[in-house]
Amino acid sequence: MGVTRFAMQKGTHQKYLLFVLFVVLVFNKVEHAALGVVLQSIKVDLKLSDTQLGLLTGIAFTLFYAVMGVPLARWADRGSRVSILSLTTALQCAAVALCGAAGSFLQLMIIRVAVAVGEAGCFPASNSLIADYFTRDARPRATALYMLGYPVSSIVGYFAAGWLSGLYGWRLMFMLLGLPGLALAVLCLVTLREPRRAAKTEERSRDFVAEREFTNRQTYSLLWKNRTFRHVVIGYSLMAFFGIGNFLWAPTYFFRSYGLSVEQLGTWFAIVWGVGGLIGTLLGGELVSRFASRNERAQLLAFAGIYVAFAFISTGTYLAPNAGIAFGFLGLTAISSYATYGPLFAMIQSLVPARTRATAIAVTYFFTNLIGMGIGPLVTGALSDSLSTAFGHNSLRYALLALCPGYLWAAWHYLLASRTIAADMATAAKNEVGSNYTEQNQNSQNQQVASLVQLGGDRST
């Protein structure tokens, strides 16, 4: 594609963009880890129930995150992704800082809505930019490097939340985490390049092939008809439902079950999710790039196997006889789960036409966050409250254990996706053809589609 050729000529900016997007992702996700550490402090300060905490971490946040992500992604597929990234980063970071000023459940919930709207613009626009700047072979490694922002945000969030809230309280902690991101938003706007603008200079060149644009109806129709995409979205949404409930409530579980302080919680979770996530993200991106960069079917089968393992590893976490063994199981969960993220989202970018990529990510996150982050923590909190009469302070342990077998359901959908991905990638390549292609480019595209069908998705779209 013309956009990709332009980007590949800009090697230095290619690396710089990946680094800046990584830093944006760190700021985008740092408050998730921080919030998990201080949930108990917020509960005591604002006199909340576990169900209210589940609302704050779940549906109050993710309903707006999921809903706003789709129109922002459609804007990203048509307009300047750099502008969207800068604007939403500024909004999200300002709202994180305002969390420290909340004086009631309602105020904190409204502020969390603003955080959600800001976060909604980051991930789809960033993934779409990466897909334009890197070829299909390079995307698993590049996306994995970008998604190092997740474990790094865990390190920063858990460590900073543990020690800053211990020293200064949870309110000042949120302010210190959010305010520096405003400068980052300005940096994005001033220094990052939107490749679509530069690619316009190639429009009159002999071999330029413009990306085909799609209407809203065409975009959603293409995504719905893509069987692999449907199964990936369902599988990832189920993974989020059972996994995010564990992720957000795990610090509270360790506090109640083992009596750890917020400083200890911050340090341990920074090590487990941060260091474990770094190892897993790098390992996943490297292994896929070396051994299966053009074999998406093998990637999906590997993801399904990992999800099966989650069911047993997570069960071990909450049946462990002491905190050390429990953290060991949690570390295995962190490594294996983070290993799937980069290759999975790189695969989605190769599975759909170029001008639907941001929307594909947003649709994935719409269901993932609405089902996973929206309902998962709420169900966990409500289940813990319902079990409190019978199990006392151990009610959260049994609520979390009840979620563990659900990973098997998610694995089944990834297995189904592996059976259709070759045909769906061929269809995506065919749908990329637009009316502005020359006959020579049309013939070339037809040859690529034929190769995809024959080799099971062995050519880039």
Side-chain angles (χ1 to χ4, degrees):
M1 304 300 295
V3 171
T4 304
R5 286 199 305 274
F6 161 77
M8 293 302 291
Q9 293 170 0
K10 309 294 182 182
T12 301
H13 189 72
Q14 189 182 38
K15 296 175 183 177
Y16 173 75
L17 174 130
L18 194 60
F19 174 75
V20 173
L21 294 182
F22 155 78
V23 177
V24 169
L25 185 60
V26 172
F27 274 88
N28 196 253
K29 300 300 180 184
V30 70
E31 63 93 23
H32 289 279
L35 183 63
V37 172
V38 299
L39 274 181
Q40 188 68 22
S41 299
I42 293 174
K43 176 177 181 175
V44 173
D45 192 2
L46 300 182
K47 298 179 177 58
L48 307 181
S49 68
D50 280 356
T51 301
Q52 287 177 308
L53 291 179
L55 282 169
L56 285 173
T57 57
I59 197 67
F61 175 88
T62 55
L63 179 62
F64 287 88
Y65 183 102
V67 171
M68 290 303 299
V70 176
L72 286 171
R74 289 302 297 147
W75 182 15
D77 277 331
R78 296 178 173 182
S80 172
R81 291 160 290 187
V82 172
S83 298
I84 295 168
L85 199 63
S86 178
L87 177 64
T88 54
T89 298
L91 174 61
Q92 188 262 342
C93 291
V96 168
L98 280 175
C99 286
S104 67
F105 169 75
L106 181 59
Q107 290 177 6
L108 187 55
M109 185 171 67
I110 292 172
I111 294 170
R112 290 279 295 162
V113 167
V115 174
V117 175
E119 281 196 30
C122 168
F123 202 69
S126 296
N127 273 269
S128 180
L129 279 169
I130 291 171
D132 274 1
Y133 272 81
F134 294 87
T135 63
R136 177 182 165 196
D137 285 350
R139 280 176 204 155
R141 182 181 286 112
T143 308
L145 290 173
Y146 162 66
M147 295 187 76
L148 286 174
Y150 277 103
V152 171
S153 71
S154 295
I155 294 174
V156 175
Y158 282 127
F159 190 80
W163 289 97
L164 289 176
S165 63
L167 291 172
Y168 306 112
W170 64 271
R171 296 180 181 278
L172 184 57
M173 179 271 295
F174 275 120
M175 294 180 184
L176 293 174
L177 287 180
L179 290 176
L182 298 177
L184 178 62
V186 175
L187 182 71
C188 290
L189 185 62
V190 173
T191 64
L192 295 185
R193 302 173 189 168
E194 171 55 68
R196 287 175 186 156
R197 293 176 178 173
K200 289 181 180 180
T201 61
E202 296 188 21
E203 289 183 357
R204 294 183 176 84
S205 66
R206 179 177 55 84
D207 61 344
F208 176 76
V209 179
E211 295 172 341
R212 181 182 179 184
E213 294 193 28
F214 300 89
T215 65
N216 287 337
R217 182 176 180 179
Q218 288 173 328
T219 297
Y220 298 127
S221 177
L222 286 173
L223 295 180
W224 171 253
K225 292 176 181 178
N226 191 316
R227 295 164 297 174
T228 304
F229 181 74
R230 290 206 309 266
H231 282 301
V232 167
V233 169
I234 294 171
Y236 194 60
S237 298
L238 291 169
M239 171 65 180
F241 176 84
F242 298 107
I244 293 176
N246 277 276
F247 175 79
L248 287 175
W249 281 101
T252 305
Y253 163 74
F254 277 87
F255 176 85
R256 294 180 185 177
S257 297
Y258 301 108
L260 301 182
S261 67
V262 290
E263 292 88 351
Q264 290 173 316
L265 285 173
T267 301
W268 272 107
F269 275 85
I271 294 171
V272 169
W273 283 108
V275 177
L278 284 171
I279 294 171
T281 304
L282 288 171
L283 187 63
E286 192 63 28
L287 287 176
V288 169
S289 293
R290 288 193 177 191
F291 303 111
S293 65
R294 304 176 77 82
N295 190 345
E296 285 79 6
R297 182 175 183 274
Q299 294 175 35
L300 285 167
L301 291 173
F303 299 159
I306 289 173
Y307 284 10
V308 170
F310 282 165
F312 300 97
I313 295 172
S314 297
T315 299
T317 301
Y318 301 111
L319 291 179
N322 57 64
I325 295 176
F327 275 122
F329 278 114
L330 204 61
L332 291 175
T333 301
I335 293 172
S336 53
S337 62
Y338 274 108
T340 68
Y341 292 157
L344 177 66
F345 283 95
M347 178 192 304
I348 292 174
Q349 298 296 285
S350 299
L351 185 60
V352 299
R355 287 294 182 121
T356 67
R357 285 169 176 162
T359 304
I361 295 296
V363 169
T364 303
Y365 261 47
F366 177 86
F367 291 102
T368 297
N369 286 285
L370 199 61
I371 295 171
M373 290 187 67
I375 303 175
L378 177 59
V379 169
T380 306
L383 185 58
S384 176
D385 281 340
S386 68
L387 295 173
S388 60
T389 302
F391 298 103
H393 75 278
N394 278 319
S395 63
L396 184 57
R397 178 198 299 268
Y398 291 104
L400 291 168
L401 275 171
L403 301 178
C404 295
Y407 296 122
L408 302 176
W409 187 5
W412 172 247
H413 282 281
Y414 275 33
L415 178 62
L416 294 176
S418 71
R419 299 174 180 176
T420 59
I421 190 165
D424 285 332
M425 288 188 70
T427 301
K430 183 177 180 180
N431 286 327
E432 188 75 75
V433 176
S435 60
N436 53 347
Y437 276 76
T438 64
E439 182 178 353
Q440 178 181 359
N441 289 323
Q442 175 72 68
N443 292 335
S444 175
Q445 185 72 37
N446 289 339
Q447 292 174 3
Q448 292 180 15
V449 173
S451 276
L452 279 167
V453 174
Q454 181 180 358
L455 301 177
D458 195 41
R459 292 295 303 270
S460 170
T461 59

